[in-house]
Coordinates of all heavy atoms in Angstrom, one line a residue:
M1 N -8.8 17.3 1.5 CA -7.8 16.1 1.5 C -6.7 16.4 2.5 O -6.2 17.5 2.6 CB -7.3 16.0 0.1 CG -6.4 14.8 -0.1 SD -5.8 14.6 -1.8 CE -7.2 13.6 -2.4
K2 N -6.4 15.4 3.3 CA -5.4 15.5 4.4 C -4.0 15.5 3.7 O -3.7 14.7 2.9 CB -5.6 14.4 5.3 CG -4.6 14.4 6.5 CD -4.9 13.3 7.5 CE -3.9 13.3 8.6 NZ -3.9 12.2 9.4
T3 N -3.2 16.4 4.2 CA -1.8 16.4 3.7 C -0.9 16.4 4.9 O -1.3 16.6 6.0 CB -1.5 17.7 2.9 OG1 -1.8 18.9 3.7 CG2 -2.4 17.8 1.7
G4 N 0.4 16.2 4.7 CA 1.3 16.2 5.8 C 1.9 14.8 6.1 O 1.6 13.8 5.4
P5 N 2.7 14.7 7.1 CA 3.4 13.5 7.4 C 2.6 12.4 7.9 O 2.9 11.2 7.8 CB 4.5 13.9 8.5 CG 3.9 15.1 9.1 CD 3.1 15.8 8.0
N6 N 1.4 12.6 8.4 CA 0.5 11.6 9.0 C -0.5 11.1 8.0 O -1.5 10.4 8.4 CB -0.1 12.1 10.3 CG 0.9 12.3 11.4 OD1 1.9 11.6 11.4 ND2 0.6 13.3 12.2
R7 N -0.4 11.5 6.8 CA -1.4 11.1 5.8 C -1.3 9.6 5.5 O -0.2 9.1 5.3 CB -1.2 11.9 4.5 CG -2.3 11.8 3.5 CD -2.1 12.8 2.4 NE -3.1 12.5 1.3 CZ -3.1 13.1 0.2 NH1 -2.2 14.0 -0.1 NH2 -4.1 12.8 -0.7
K8 N -2.4 8.9 5.4 CA -2.5 7.5 5.2 C -3.0 7.3 3.8 O -4.0 7.9 3.4 CB -3.3 6.8 6.2 CG -2.9 7.0 7.7 CD -1.6 6.4 8.0 CE -1.3 6.6 9.5 NZ 0.1 6.6 9.8
Y9 N -2.4 6.4 3.0 CA -2.9 6.0 1.7 C -3.3 4.5 1.7 O -2.6 3.7 2.2 CB -1.8 6.2 0.7 CG -1.2 7.7 0.6 CD1 -0.1 8.0 1.3 CD2 -1.9 8.6 -0.1 CE1 0.4 9.3 1.2 CE2 -1.5 9.9 -0.2 CZ -0.3 10.3 0.5 OH 0.2 11.5 0.4
T10 N -4.4 4.3 1.1 CA -4.9 2.9 0.9 C -4.1 2.2 -0.1 O -3.5 2.9 -1.0 CB -6.4 2.8 0.6 OG1 -6.5 3.4 -0.7 CG2 -7.2 3.5 1.6
A11 N -4.1 0.9 -0.1 CA -3.4 0.1 -1.2 C -4.0 0.4 -2.5 O -3.2 0.5 -3.5 CB -3.5 -1.4 -0.8
E12 N -5.3 0.6 -2.6 CA -5.9 0.9 -3.9 C -5.5 2.3 -4.4 O -5.2 2.4 -5.6 CB -7.4 0.9 -3.7 CG -8.0 -0.4 -3.4 CD -8.0 -0.8 -1.9 OE1 -7.7 0.1 -1.1 OE2 -8.1 -2.0 -1.6
F13 N -5.3 3.3 -3.5 CA -4.9 4.6 -4.0 C -3.5 4.5 -4.5 O -3.1 5.0 -5.5 CB -4.9 5.5 -2.8 CG -4.5 6.9 -3.1 CD1 -5.3 7.9 -3.5 CD2 -3.1 7.3 -2.9 CE1 -4.9 9.2 -3.8 CE2 -2.7 8.6 -3.2 CZ -3.6 9.5 -3.6
R14 N -2.6 3.7 -3.8 CA -1.2 3.6 -4.2 C -1.1 2.9 -5.6 O -0.4 3.3 -6.5 CB -0.4 2.8 -3.2 CG -0.3 3.5 -1.9 CD 0.4 2.5 -0.9 NE 0.4 3.1 0.5 CZ 1.4 3.1 1.3 NH1 2.5 2.6 0.9 NH2 1.3 3.7 2.4
A15 N -1.9 1.8 -5.8 CA -1.9 1.1 -7.0 C -2.4 2.0 -8.2 O -1.8 2.0 -9.3 CB -2.8 -0.1 -6.9
A16 N -3.4 2.8 -7.9 CA -3.9 3.7 -9.0 C -2.9 4.8 -9.3 O -2.7 5.1 -10.5 CB -5.2 4.3 -8.5
A17 N -2.2 5.3 -8.3 CA -1.2 6.3 -8.6 C 0.0 5.7 -9.4 O 0.4 6.4 -10.4 CB -0.7 6.9 -7.3
V18 N 0.4 4.6 -9.0 CA 1.5 3.9 -9.8 C 1.1 3.6 -11.2 O 1.9 3.8 -12.1 CB 1.9 2.6 -9.0 CG1 2.9 1.8 -9.9 CG2 2.6 3.0 -7.7
S19 N -0.1 3.1 -11.4 CA -0.6 2.7 -12.7 C -0.7 4.0 -13.6 O -0.5 3.9 -14.8 CB -1.9 2.0 -12.7 OG -3.0 2.8 -12.5
Q20 N -1.0 5.1 -13.1 CA -1.0 6.4 -13.9 C 0.3 6.7 -14.5 O 0.4 7.2 -15.6 CB -1.5 7.6 -13.0 CG -3.0 7.6 -12.7 CD -3.4 8.8 -12.0 OE1 -2.9 9.9 -12.3 NE2 -4.3 8.7 -11.0
V21 N 1.4 6.3 -13.7 CA 2.8 6.6 -14.2 C 3.2 5.5 -15.1 O 3.7 5.7 -16.3 CB 3.7 6.7 -13.0 CG1 5.2 6.9 -13.5 CG2 3.4 7.9 -12.2
L22 N 3.1 4.2 -14.7 CA 3.6 3.1 -15.4 C 2.8 2.7 -16.7 O 3.3 2.4 -17.7 CB 3.7 1.9 -14.5 CG 4.7 2.0 -13.3 CD1 4.7 0.7 -12.5 CD2 6.1 2.4 -13.8
E23 N 1.5 2.8 -16.5 CA 0.6 2.4 -17.6 C 0.0 3.5 -18.4 O -0.3 3.5 -19.6 CB -0.5 1.4 -17.1 CG 0.0 0.2 -16.5 CD -1.0 -0.6 -15.7 OE1 -2.2 -0.3 -15.8 OE2 -0.6 -1.5 -15.0
G24 N -0.2 4.6 -17.7 CA -0.8 5.8 -18.3 C 0.1 6.7 -19.0 O -0.3 7.6 -19.7
G25 N 1.4 6.6 -18.8 CA 2.4 7.4 -19.5 C 2.5 8.8 -18.9 O 3.2 9.6 -19.6
R26 N 2.0 9.1 -17.8 CA 2.1 10.4 -17.2 C 3.4 10.5 -16.4 O 3.9 9.5 -15.9 CB 0.9 10.7 -16.3 CG -0.4 10.8 -17.0 CD -1.6 11.1 -16.1 NE -1.4 12.4 -15.5 CZ -2.0 12.8 -14.4 NH1 -2.9 12.0 -13.8 NH2 -1.8 14.0 -13.9
S27 N 3.9 11.7 -16.3 CA 5.1 11.9 -15.5 C 4.8 11.8 -14.0 O 3.7 12.0 -13.6 CB 5.8 13.3 -15.8 OG 5.0 14.3 -15.1
M28 N 5.9 11.3 -13.3 CA 5.7 11.2 -11.9 C 5.4 12.5 -11.2 O 4.5 12.5 -10.3 CB 7.0 10.6 -11.3 CG 6.9 10.2 -9.8 SD 8.3 9.3 -9.2 CE 9.7 9.9 -10.2
A29 N 6.0 13.6 -11.6 CA 5.7 14.9 -11.0 C 4.3 15.3 -11.2 O 3.6 15.9 -10.3 CB 6.7 15.9 -11.5
A30 N 3.8 15.1 -12.4 CA 2.4 15.5 -12.8 C 1.4 14.7 -12.0 O 0.4 15.2 -11.5 CB 2.2 15.3 -14.3
V31 N 1.6 13.4 -11.8 CA 0.7 12.6 -11.0 C 0.7 13.0 -9.6 O -0.3 13.2 -8.9 CB 1.0 11.1 -11.2 CG1 0.2 10.2 -10.2 CG2 0.8 10.6 -12.6
A32 N 1.9 13.2 -9.0 CA 2.0 13.6 -7.6 C 1.4 15.0 -7.4 O 0.6 15.1 -6.4 CB 3.5 13.7 -7.2
R33 N 1.5 15.9 -8.3 CA 0.9 17.2 -8.2 C -0.6 17.1 -8.3 O -1.3 17.7 -7.5 CB 1.4 18.1 -9.3 CG 1.8 19.5 -8.9 CD 2.3 20.4 -10.0 NE 2.4 19.9 -11.4 CZ 3.6 19.4 -11.9 NH1 4.7 19.4 -11.1 NH2 3.6 19.0 -13.1
S34 N -1.1 16.3 -9.2 CA -2.6 16.1 -9.3 C -3.2 15.4 -8.1 O -4.4 15.7 -7.8 CB -2.9 15.4 -10.6 OG -2.6 14.0 -10.5
L35 N -2.5 14.6 -7.5 CA -3.0 13.9 -6.3 C -2.6 14.6 -5.0 O -3.0 14.1 -3.9 CB -2.4 12.4 -6.3 CG -2.9 11.5 -7.4 CD1 -2.1 10.2 -7.3 CD2 -4.4 11.3 -7.4
E36 N -2.0 15.7 -5.1 CA -1.6 16.5 -4.0 C -0.8 15.7 -2.9 O -1.1 15.6 -1.8 CB -2.8 17.2 -3.3 CG -3.5 18.1 -4.2 CD -4.8 18.7 -3.6 OE1 -5.1 18.4 -2.4 OE2 -5.4 19.6 -4.2
M37 N 0.3 15.1 -3.4 CA 1.1 14.2 -2.6 C 2.5 14.4 -2.9 O 2.9 15.1 -3.9 CB 0.7 12.7 -2.8 CG 0.9 12.2 -4.2 SD 0.7 10.5 -4.4 CE 2.0 9.8 -3.4
S38 N 3.4 13.9 -2.1 CA 4.8 14.0 -2.3 C 5.3 13.1 -3.5 O 4.9 12.0 -3.6 CB 5.5 13.5 -1.0 OG 6.9 13.3 -1.2
S39 N 6.1 13.7 -4.3 CA 6.7 13.0 -5.4 C 7.6 11.9 -4.9 O 7.8 10.9 -5.6 CB 7.3 13.9 -6.4 OG 8.4 14.6 -5.8
K40 N 8.2 12.1 -3.8 CA 9.1 11.1 -3.2 C 8.4 9.8 -2.8 O 8.9 8.7 -3.0 CB 9.9 11.7 -2.0 CG 10.9 12.7 -2.5 CD 11.7 13.2 -1.3 CE 12.7 14.3 -1.8 NZ 13.6 14.7 -0.7
S41 N 7.2 10.0 -2.2 CA 6.4 8.8 -1.9 C 6.0 8.1 -3.1 O 6.1 6.8 -3.1 CB 5.1 9.3 -1.1 OG 5.4 9.8 0.1
L42 N 5.6 8.8 -4.1 CA 5.2 8.1 -5.4 C 6.4 7.4 -6.0 O 6.2 6.3 -6.5 CB 4.6 9.2 -6.4 CG 4.1 8.6 -7.7 CD1 3.0 7.5 -7.5 CD2 3.5 9.8 -8.5
A43 N 7.5 8.0 -5.9 CA 8.7 7.4 -6.5 C 9.0 6.1 -5.8 O 9.4 5.1 -6.4 CB 9.9 8.3 -6.4
N44 N 8.9 6.1 -4.4 CA 9.1 4.9 -3.6 C 8.1 3.8 -4.1 O 8.5 2.6 -4.2 CB 8.9 5.1 -2.2 CG 10.1 5.9 -1.6 OD1 11.2 5.9 -2.1 ND2 9.8 6.6 -0.5
W45 N 6.8 4.1 -4.3 CA 5.8 3.2 -4.7 C 6.1 2.6 -6.0 O 6.0 1.4 -6.3 CB 4.4 3.8 -4.7 CG 4.0 4.3 -3.4 CD1 4.5 4.1 -2.2 CD2 2.9 5.2 -3.2 NE1 3.8 4.8 -1.2 CE2 2.8 5.5 -1.8 CE3 2.0 5.8 -4.0 CZ2 1.8 6.4 -1.3 CZ3 1.0 6.7 -3.5 CH2 1.0 6.9 -2.1
I46 N 6.6 3.4 -7.0 CA 6.9 3.0 -8.3 C 8.1 2.0 -8.3 O 8.1 1.0 -8.9 CB 7.2 4.2 -9.2 CG1 5.9 5.0 -9.5 CG2 7.8 3.8 -10.6 CD1 6.1 6.3 -10.1
Y47 N 9.1 2.4 -7.4 CA 10.3 1.5 -7.3 C 9.9 0.1 -6.8 O 10.3 -0.9 -7.3 CB 11.3 2.2 -6.3 CG 12.5 1.4 -6.0 CD1 13.5 1.2 -6.9 CD2 12.6 0.7 -4.7 CE1 14.6 0.5 -6.6 CE2 13.7 0.0 -4.4 CZ 14.7 -0.1 -5.4 OH 15.8 -0.9 -5.1
K48 N 9.0 0.1 -5.8 CA 8.5 -1.2 -5.2 C 7.7 -1.9 -6.3 O 7.9 -3.2 -6.4 CB 7.7 -0.9 -4.0 CG 8.5 -0.5 -2.8 CD 7.6 -0.4 -1.6 CE 8.4 0.0 -0.4 NZ 7.5 0.1 0.8
A49 N 6.9 -1.2 -7.0 CA 6.1 -1.9 -8.0 C 7.0 -2.5 -9.1 O 6.7 -3.7 -9.6 CB 5.1 -0.9 -8.7
R50 N 8.0 -1.9 -9.5 CA 8.9 -2.4 -10.5 C 9.7 -3.6 -10.1 O 10.0 -4.5 -10.8 CB 9.9 -1.3 -11.0 CG 9.2 -0.3 -11.9 CD 10.2 0.8 -12.4 NE 9.5 1.6 -13.4 CZ 9.8 2.9 -13.6 NH1 10.8 3.4 -12.9 NH2 9.1 3.6 -14.4
R51 N 9.9 -3.7 -8.7 CA 10.6 -4.8 -8.1 C 9.7 -5.9 -7.8 O 10.1 -7.0 -7.3 CB 11.4 -4.3 -6.9 CG 12.5 -3.4 -7.3 CD 13.4 -3.0 -6.2 NE 14.1 -4.2 -5.7 CZ 14.6 -4.3 -4.5 NH1 14.6 -3.3 -3.6 NH2 15.2 -5.4 -4.1
G52 N 8.4 -5.7 -7.9 CA 7.4 -6.7 -7.6 C 7.0 -6.8 -6.1 O 6.5 -7.8 -5.6
E53 N 7.4 -5.8 -5.3 CA 7.1 -5.8 -3.9 C 5.7 -5.3 -3.6 O 5.2 -4.5 -4.4 CB 8.2 -4.9 -3.2 CG 9.6 -5.4 -3.3 CD 10.6 -4.5 -2.6 OE1 10.2 -3.6 -1.9 OE2 11.8 -4.7 -2.9
P54 N 5.1 -5.6 -2.5 CA 3.8 -5.1 -2.2 C 3.9 -3.6 -1.9 O 4.9 -3.1 -1.4 CB 3.4 -5.9 -0.9 CG 4.7 -6.4 -0.4 CD 5.6 -6.6 -1.5
A55 N 2.8 -2.9 -2.1 CA 2.7 -1.5 -1.9 C 2.7 -1.1 -0.4 O 3.2 -0.1 0.0 CB 1.5 -0.9 -2.6
V56 N 2.1 -2.0 0.4 CA 2.0 -1.8 1.8 C 2.7 -2.9 2.5 O 2.5 -4.1 2.3 CB 0.5 -1.7 2.2 CG1 0.4 -1.4 3.7 CG2 -0.2 -0.7 1.4
K57 N 3.6 -2.6 3.5 CA 4.4 -3.6 4.2 C 3.5 -4.3 5.3 O 3.7 -5.5 5.4 CB 5.5 -3.0 4.9 CG 6.7 -2.6 4.0 CD 7.9 -2.1 4.9 CE 9.0 -1.9 4.0 NZ 10.2 -1.4 4.7
R58 N 2.7 -3.6 6.0 CA 2.0 -4.2 7.1 C 0.9 -5.2 6.6 O 0.3 -5.0 5.5 CB 1.4 -3.2 8.0 CG 0.4 -2.3 7.3 CD -0.1 -1.2 8.3 NE -0.8 -0.2 7.5 CZ -0.3 1.0 7.3 NH1 0.8 1.4 7.8 NH2 -1.0 1.8 6.5
E59 N 0.7 -6.2 7.4 CA -0.3 -7.2 7.1 C -1.7 -6.6 7.3 O -1.9 -5.8 8.2 CB -0.2 -8.4 8.0 CG 1.2 -9.2 7.8 CD 1.3 -9.8 6.5 OE1 0.2 -10.4 6.0 OE2 2.3 -9.8 5.9
P60 N -2.7 -7.1 6.6 CA -4.0 -6.6 6.8 C -4.5 -7.0 8.3 O -4.1 -8.0 8.8 CB -4.9 -7.3 5.8 CG -4.1 -8.4 5.2 CD -2.6 -8.1 5.5
T61 N -5.2 -6.1 8.9 CA -5.6 -6.3 10.3 C -6.7 -7.4 10.3 O -7.5 -7.5 9.4 CB -6.1 -5.0 10.9 OG1 -7.2 -4.5 10.1 CG2 -5.1 -3.9 11.0
R62 N -6.7 -8.1 11.4 CA -7.7 -9.2 11.5 C -9.0 -8.5 12.0 O -9.0 -7.5 12.7 CB -7.2 -10.3 12.5 CG -7.1 -9.8 13.9 CD -6.7 -11.0 14.8 NE -6.5 -10.5 16.1 CZ -7.5 -10.3 17.0 NH1 -8.8 -10.5 16.6 NH2 -7.3 -9.9 18.2
P63 N -10.1 -9.1 11.6 CA -11.4 -8.5 12.0 C -11.5 -8.6 13.6 O -11.0 -9.6 14.2 CB -12.4 -9.4 11.3 CG -11.7 -10.6 10.8 CD -10.2 -10.3 10.8
V64 N -12.2 -7.7 14.1 CA -12.4 -7.6 15.6 C -13.7 -8.4 15.9 O -14.7 -8.2 15.2 CB -12.5 -6.2 16.0 CG1 -12.8 -6.1 17.5 CG2 -11.3 -5.4 15.7
S65 N -13.6 -9.3 16.9 CA -14.7 -10.1 17.3 C -15.7 -9.2 18.0 O -15.4 -8.1 18.5 CB -14.3 -11.2 18.2 OG -13.9 -10.8 19.4
E66 N -16.9 -9.7 18.1 CA -18.0 -8.9 18.8 C -17.6 -8.7 20.3 O -17.8 -7.7 20.9 CB -19.3 -9.7 18.8 CG -20.0 -9.6 17.4 CD -21.4 -10.3 17.5 OE1 -22.1 -10.1 18.5 OE2 -21.7 -11.0 16.5
L67 N -17.0 -9.7 20.9 CA -16.5 -9.6 22.3 C -15.5 -8.5 22.5 O -15.5 -7.7 23.4 CB -16.0 -11.0 22.8 CG -15.7 -11.1 24.2 CD1 -16.9 -10.8 25.1 CD2 -15.2 -12.5 24.5
E68 N -14.5 -8.5 21.5 CA -13.4 -7.5 21.6 C -14.0 -6.1 21.4 O -13.6 -5.1 22.1 CB -12.4 -7.7 20.6 CG -11.5 -9.0 20.9 CD -10.6 -9.3 19.7 OE1 -11.0 -9.2 18.6 OE2 -9.4 -9.7 20.0
A69 N -15.0 -6.0 20.5 CA -15.6 -4.7 20.3 C -16.4 -4.2 21.6 O -16.3 -3.0 21.9 CB -16.6 -4.7 19.1
E70 N -17.0 -5.2 22.2 CA -17.8 -4.8 23.4 C -16.8 -4.4 24.5 O -17.1 -3.5 25.3 CB -18.6 -6.1 23.9 CG -19.4 -5.9 25.1 CD -20.6 -4.9 25.0 OE1 -20.9 -4.4 23.8 OE2 -21.2 -4.6 26.0
V71 N -15.7 -5.1 24.7 CA -14.7 -4.8 25.7 C -14.2 -3.4 25.5 O -14.1 -2.6 26.4 CB -13.6 -5.8 25.7 CG1 -12.4 -5.3 26.6 CG2 -14.1 -7.1 26.3
S72 N -13.9 -3.1 24.2 CA -13.4 -1.7 23.9 C -14.4 -0.7 24.2 O -14.1 0.4 24.8 CB -13.1 -1.7 22.4 OG -12.6 -0.4 22.0
R73 N -15.7 -0.9 23.8 CA -16.8 0.0 24.1 C -16.9 0.3 25.6 O -17.1 1.4 26.1 CB -18.1 -0.4 23.5 CG -19.2 0.6 23.6 CD -20.6 0.0 23.3 NE -21.0 -1.0 24.2 CZ -21.5 -0.8 25.4 NH1 -21.6 0.4 25.9 NH2 -21.9 -1.8 26.2
L74 N -16.9 -0.8 26.4 CA -17.0 -0.7 27.8 C -15.8 0.0 28.5 O -16.0 0.8 29.4 CB -17.2 -2.1 28.5 CG -18.5 -2.8 28.1 CD1 -18.5 -4.2 28.6 CD2 -19.7 -2.0 28.7
R75 N -14.7 -0.2 28.0 CA -13.5 0.5 28.5 C -13.6 2.0 28.2 O -13.3 2.9 29.1 CB -12.2 0.0 27.9 CG -11.8 -1.3 28.4 CD -10.5 -1.8 27.9 NE -10.1 -3.0 28.5 CZ -9.3 -3.9 28.0 NH1 -8.8 -3.7 26.7 NH2 -9.0 -5.0 28.6
Q76 N -14.1 2.4 27.0 CA -14.3 3.8 26.8 C -15.4 4.4 27.7 O -15.2 5.5 28.2 CB -14.7 4.0 25.3 CG -13.6 3.8 24.3 CD -14.1 3.8 22.9 OE1 -15.3 3.8 22.6 NE2 -13.2 4.0 21.9
E77 N -16.5 3.7 27.9 CA -17.5 4.1 28.8 C -17.0 4.3 30.2 O -17.3 5.2 30.9 CB -18.7 3.2 28.7 CG -19.9 3.6 29.5 CD -21.1 2.6 29.4 OE1 -21.1 1.7 28.6 OE2 -22.0 2.8 30.2
N78 N -16.2 3.3 30.6 CA -15.7 3.3 32.0 C -14.8 4.6 32.2 O -14.9 5.3 33.2 CB -14.9 2.1 32.3 CG -14.5 1.9 33.7 OD1 -15.2 2.5 34.6 ND2 -13.5 1.1 34.0
A79 N -14.0 4.9 31.2 CA -13.1 6.0 31.3 C -13.9 7.3 31.4 O -13.6 8.2 32.1 CB -12.1 6.1 30.1
K80 N -15.0 7.4 30.5 CA -15.8 8.6 30.5 C -16.5 8.7 31.9 O -16.6 9.9 32.4 CB -16.9 8.4 29.4 CG -17.8 9.6 29.4 CD -18.9 9.3 28.3 CE -20.0 10.4 28.4 NZ -21.2 10.0 27.8
L81 N -17.0 7.7 32.5 CA -17.7 7.7 33.7 C -16.7 8.1 34.9 O -17.1 8.9 35.8 CB -18.4 6.4 34.1 CG -19.6 6.1 33.2 CD1 -20.0 4.6 33.5 CD2 -20.7 7.0 33.4
K82 N -15.5 7.7 34.8 CA -14.5 8.1 35.8 C -14.2 9.6 35.7 O -14.1 10.2 36.8 CB -13.2 7.3 35.6 CG -13.2 5.9 36.1 CD -11.9 5.2 35.9 CE -11.9 3.8 36.4 NZ -10.6 3.1 36.2
M83 N -14.1 10.1 34.5 CA -13.9 11.5 34.3 C -15.1 12.3 34.9 O -14.9 13.3 35.6 CB -13.7 11.8 32.9 CG -13.1 13.2 32.6 SD -12.6 13.5 30.9 CE -13.5 12.4 29.9
E84 N -16.3 11.9 34.6 CA -17.5 12.6 35.0 C -17.5 12.6 36.6 O -17.9 13.6 37.2 CB -18.7 12.0 34.5 CG -18.9 12.2 33.0 CD -20.1 11.5 32.4 OE1 -20.7 10.7 33.1 OE2 -20.4 11.8 31.2
K85 N -17.2 11.4 37.2 CA -17.2 11.3 38.6 C -16.2 12.3 39.2 O -16.5 13.0 40.2 CB -16.8 9.9 39.0 CG -16.7 9.6 40.5 CD -16.2 8.2 40.7 CE -15.7 8.0 42.2 NZ -15.1 6.7 42.4
E86 N -15.0 12.5 38.7 CA -14.0 13.4 39.2 C -14.5 14.8 39.1 O -14.3 15.6 40.0 CB -12.7 13.2 38.4 CG -11.9 12.0 38.7 CD -11.6 11.8 40.2 OE1 -11.1 12.8 40.8 OE2 -11.8 10.7 40.8
V87 N -15.2 15.2 38.0 CA -15.7 16.5 37.8 C -16.8 16.8 38.9 O -16.8 17.8 39.5 CB -16.3 16.7 36.4 CG1 -17.1 18.0 36.3 CG2 -15.2 16.7 35.4
L88 N -17.7 15.8 39.1 CA -18.7 16.0 40.1 C -18.1 16.1 41.5 O -18.6 16.9 42.3 CB -19.7 14.8 40.1 CG -20.6 14.8 38.8 CD1 -21.4 13.5 38.8 CD2 -21.5 16.0 38.8
K89 N -17.1 15.3 41.8 CA -16.4 15.4 43.1 C -15.8 16.8 43.3 O -16.0 17.4 44.4 CB -15.3 14.4 43.3 CG -15.8 13.0 43.6 CD -14.7 11.9 43.5 CE -13.6 12.0 44.5 NZ -12.7 10.9 44.4
K90 N -15.2 17.4 42.3 CA -14.6 18.7 42.4 C -15.7 19.8 42.5 O -15.6 20.7 43.3 CB -13.8 19.0 41.2 CG -12.5 18.2 41.2 CD -11.6 18.5 39.9 CE -10.4 17.6 39.9 NZ -9.6 17.8 38.7
A91 N -16.8 19.6 41.8 CA -17.9 20.5 41.9 C -18.5 20.5 43.3 O -18.9 21.5 43.9 CB -19.0 20.3 40.8
A92 N -18.7 19.3 43.9 CA -19.3 19.2 45.2 C -18.4 19.8 46.2 O -18.9 20.5 47.1 CB -19.5 17.7 45.5
A93 N -17.1 19.6 46.1 CA -16.2 20.2 47.0 C -16.2 21.7 46.9 O -16.1 22.5 47.9 CB -14.7 19.7 46.8
Y94 N -16.3 22.3 45.7 CA -16.4 23.7 45.5 C -17.6 24.3 46.1 O -17.5 25.3 46.9 CB -16.4 24.0 44.0 CG -16.6 25.5 43.7 CD1 -15.6 26.4 43.8 CD2 -17.8 25.9 43.2 CE1 -15.7 27.7 43.5 CE2 -18.0 27.2 43.0 CZ -17.0 28.1 43.1 OH -17.2 29.5 42.8
F95 N -18.8 23.7 45.9 CA -20.0 24.2 46.5 C -20.0 24.0 48.0 O -20.6 24.8 48.7 CB -21.2 23.5 45.8 CG -21.4 24.1 44.4 CD1 -21.4 23.2 43.3 CD2 -21.7 25.4 44.2 CE1 -21.6 23.7 42.0 CE2 -21.9 25.9 42.9 CZ -21.8 25.0 41.8
A96 N -19.4 23.0 48.5 CA -19.3 22.8 50.0 C -18.5 23.9 50.6 O -18.9 24.4 51.7 CB -18.7 21.4 50.3
R97 N -17.4 24.3 50.0 CA -16.6 25.4 50.5 C -17.4 26.8 50.4 O -17.3 27.6 51.3 CB -15.3 25.6 49.7 CG -14.2 24.8 50.3 CD -12.9 25.0 49.5 NE -12.9 24.0 48.4 CZ -12.5 24.2 47.2 NH1 -11.9 25.3 46.9 NH2 -12.5 23.2 46.3
E98 N -18.2 26.9 49.3 CA -18.9 28.2 49.2 C -20.0 28.3 50.2 O -20.4 29.4 50.6 CB -19.6 28.2 47.8 CG -18.6 28.4 46.6 CD -18.0 29.8 46.6 OE1 -18.7 30.8 46.8 OE2 -16.7 29.8 46.4
S99 N -20.6 27.2 50.7 CA -21.7 27.3 51.6 C -21.2 27.5 53.1 O -22.0 27.8 53.9 CB -22.5 26.0 51.6 OG -21.7 24.9 52.0
L100 N -19.9 27.4 53.3 CA -19.4 27.7 54.7 C -19.3 29.1 55.0 O -19.2 30.1 54.6 CB -18.0 27.0 54.8 CG -18.0 25.5 54.8 CD1 -16.6 25.0 54.9 CD2 -18.8 24.9 55.9

């Protein structure tokens, strides 16, 4: 399980953690410990739940169209090919110097 500042939690995970405290009667510290997460994060989620705020601020991402996916794939391939070309140029220059 990933830990640390860059750990991402799904809305479902957040809701389940909050319900363990609010509906399950478990302590916040016990739930945070069992889920291997910060008790401060859980406290923030519980605070928001009690105020009726959504667990996640950002809007759900829109689905990517087939065309956008293809453009992304082609950009990645293009970057890879450019890198390979640079490596080959350096190797050719190295071997040309060695043959002199």
Side-chain angles (χ1 to χ4, degrees):
M1 183 175 274
K2 184 178 177 187
T3 60
N6 294 327
R7 186 171 177 187
K8 304 290 185 209
Y9 300 100
T10 64
E12 294 81 18
F13 180 89
R14 293 173 188 227
V18 168
S19 77
Q20 286 185 39
V21 174
L22 297 180
E23 298 166 15
R26 295 180 62 199
S27 74
M28 187 172 28
V31 171
R33 227 180 354 265
S34 70
L35 296 175
E36 299 177 357
M37 63 173 293
S38 165
S39 59
K40 291 182 180 185
S41 294
L42 182 57
N44 288 336
W45 301 345
I46 292 169
Y47 176 76
K48 286 181 179 182
R50 286 183 174 150
R51 294 185 65 198
E53 296 176 13
V56 182
K57 283 186 179 180
R58 60 184 166 252
E59 295 294 319
T61 58
R62 66 176 179 80
V64 178
S65 71
E66 285 184 42
L67 186 58
E68 290 171 321
E70 179 70 6
V71 167
S72 177
R73 187 190 66 75
L74 290 172
R75 284 184 177 154
Q76 289 175 343
E77 183 180 349
N78 191 23
K80 179 184 170 199
L81 292 172
K82 283 181 180 179
M83 192 170 26
E84 289 174 354
K85 177 183 163 190
E86 289 301 313
V87 169
L88 290 172
K89 282 170 66 175
K90 289 178 183 178
Y94 174 78
F95 287 118
R97 269 185 271 141
E98 289 292 316
S99 65
L100 295 177

